[in-house]
Amino acid sequence: MPTPTSTVTEEQKPELEQIEIWKCKETDCKAWVRKEFVTEALPPCPLCKNPMVRSYKHVPVAAKKGNKKFLVGKKRF
């Protein structure tokens, strides 16, 4: 009897986007930060305080929650 294999179809793969990040130079440290959250030219690692380098990472696309209406005064926008 054949054993089932775990194959991932195209429907099961999450859609990925490439983002720019800063990651820690230290090989033992797994810290990384999105570029848009960094305010310094050469940021230190938030965990171990070692220098960080620019890189790229593929992350799943987050579903955008839209069509929210906010009350401002008595009008809805």
Side-chain angles (χ1 to χ4, degrees), residues 17 34 61-68:
E17 68 175 325
R34 286 178 179 255
V61 176
K64 300 202 189 244
K65 297 178 182 177
N67 296 336
K68 289 192 176 187

Side-chain angles (χ1 to χ4, degrees), residues 12-17 59-62:
Q12 294 172 335
K13 287 184 182 177
E15 185 180 343
L16 299 177
E17 68 175 325
V59 296
V61 176

Side-chain angles (χ1 to χ4, degrees), residues 18-55:
Q18 183 177 347
I19 61 169
E20 210 173 332
I21 63 166
W22 285 91
K23 69 177 184 178
C24 186
K25 276 187 177 180
E26 187 66 36
T27 57
D28 295 336
C29 184
K30 301 292 183 194
W32 62 274
V33 181
R34 286 178 179 255
K35 178 187 161 196
E36 56 262 21
F37 296 125
V38 174
T39 56
E40 302 171 27
L42 294 171
C45 175
L47 300 179
C48 65
K49 306 301 182 212
N50 283 318
M52 296 183 84
V53 294
R54 288 170 63 165
S55 184

